[in-house]
Amino acid sequence: MFKKILIANRGEIALRIIRTCREMGIRTVAIYSTADKDSLHVRFADEAVCIGPPASAESYLNIPKIMAAAEITNADGIHPGYGFLAENADFAEVCQQYDIKFIGPTPDQIRKMGDKVTAKETMIKAGVPVVPGSDGLVKDVKHGKKISADIGYPVIIKATAGGGGKGMRIVWKDEEFETQWDSARKEAKASFGNDGIYIEKFVEEPRHIEFQIAGDQDGNVCHLSERECSIQRRHQKLLEESPSPFMTDELRQKMGDASILAGKAINYEGVGTVEFLVDKYRNFYFMEMNTRIQVEHPVTEEVIDHDLIKEQIKIAAGIPITGENYIPTLHAIECRINAEDPYNNFRPSPGKITSFHSSKGHGVRVDTHVYAGYLIPPYYDSMIAKLICRAQTREECITKMERALDEFIIEGVKTTIPFHKKLMQDEKFRSGDFHTGFLNDFDLGEPEPDK
Ligand code: MV4
């Protein structure tokens, strides 16, 4: 087992990892930028190393500085959290060279899933359903138009280096193809330095449902059930839940089997997520695989009562998993509390939190790194807390979430709490009848008057 883990991250996830390490008797090293000197991850870690100025490129993304911190503190493992370097295969490789275990998959596994065309080819070979589309990369406009005519409009143009919607364009008819092709390529080149493009049939009004999987160093792979992630805005998830209200026993069996095939196809080692698009007929298609712990992992932890960070650490230490799949018997919902103004296009609202009272009580969990007096720096993402509720049924879980949202007090900055309160009252949300386009025509109404 590890003796000392360096956490190459900040915020709530750094704190989340420190908590599990404490429970496992593993010492922790925090790294931090000057903007984070008063952060709780710095205070709660056994040791802390300042690695540079606020800009991520000079701190949380700076591999030489992170490796230097790991060397001087004698860490034998590095946990990357999510974002930053979590899916950077080169970083995982540098860790190998330093003989410090990267707590996550191998560089090769990260690379296979990081390139979407390679991932899709791997899934086809493994027998995992994918959206019909081009056979690999598309050479030029002429080639693209031919393929699109063959599969039939509408189609979607995607960047092989993409993910999260960057370099993605929907094309409804042949006349629009060239314009959309050009803009997708430009955006892909600018965002990823790679303008490799592929084409798929556009699945209309899909749901985004993902399966949590775990694989060990002996080749066992199991699934830990699904999360429903369709409530998102411009590819930023705002609410996740498990189980999906759209799930049936039959669909879970099929998608669970497919997720395990996906993991086995790359000998996946660690916890990971297989993302699917699901259409209204419950056809499902592999979209991409995330080779990291995700923001929304607590909803799975709550419904199956397992610590996923502990699973990651055990797998990285070579301890085998049981290999059994887990089916939820409870319901959990996570609301992302961001320092953003939902009444102003979700514009970031950094600044000082003047007053903070977290919701509490049975079935309520709050994962956060903030406190009254905390200054939210403008340099990083705007998520300041995750409010997770758990109950016997979805209905009870929504009721509990409404109660928990009502007692959450955050003053000094704008937050997404009013958005979530309104969402809890929405009939389509409450009935489970929604897809990824749901928030496009969601009306937030007027702000509540101050009490
Ligand atoms: C799609 C799609 C429809 N058809 N692919 C968005 C981000 C990237 N991971 C893939 N995405 C999509 N791919 C086909 N063939 C619709 C989306 C999509 C989406 C997917 C998941 C969650 C939210 C989304 C919002 C808009 C579009």
Side-chain angles (χ1 to χ4, degrees), residues 125-190:
K125 276 199 202 115
V128 177
V130 301
V131 186
S134 58
D135 182 10
L137 291 176
V138 180
K139 292 194 300 271
D140 51 32
V141 176
K142 201 175 145 226
H143 184 200
K145 282 192 169 197
K146 164 95 177 61
I147 288 160
S148 302
D150 287 350
I151 59 180
Y153 286 95
V155 299
I156 184 165
I157 300 178
K158 293 183 174 182
T160 188
K166 278 247 175 73
M168 209 177 80
R169 295 290 182 281
I170 301 163
V171 192
W172 295 90
K173 47 182 193 284
D174 183 86
E175 298 87 86
E176 294 172 351
F177 188 88
E178 189 157 355
T179 317
Q180 299 292 57
W181 167 271
D182 288 342
S183 82
R185 280 193 50 164
K186 274 208 195 85
E187 190 172 309
K189 185 80 189 171

Side-chain angles (χ1 to χ4, degrees), residues 336-340 349 351-359 366 368 370-372 374 376 383-387 405-418 421:
R336 295 197 193 187
I337 316 292
N338 299 337
E340 294 172 353
S349 175
K352 197 182 190 93
I353 296 179
T354 52
S355 124
F356 185 86
H357 176 268
S358 160
S359 317
V366 177
T368 185
V370 313
Y371 50 85
Y374 178 80
I376 303 163
M383 197 180 69
I384 53 171
K386 302 188 296 200
L387 170 57
L405 286 164
D406 276 339
E407 70 179 58
F408 215 136
I409 299 170
I410 302 177
E411 286 168 350
V413 298
K414 307 273 192 213
T415 77
T416 48
I417 290 174
K421 286 184 180 172

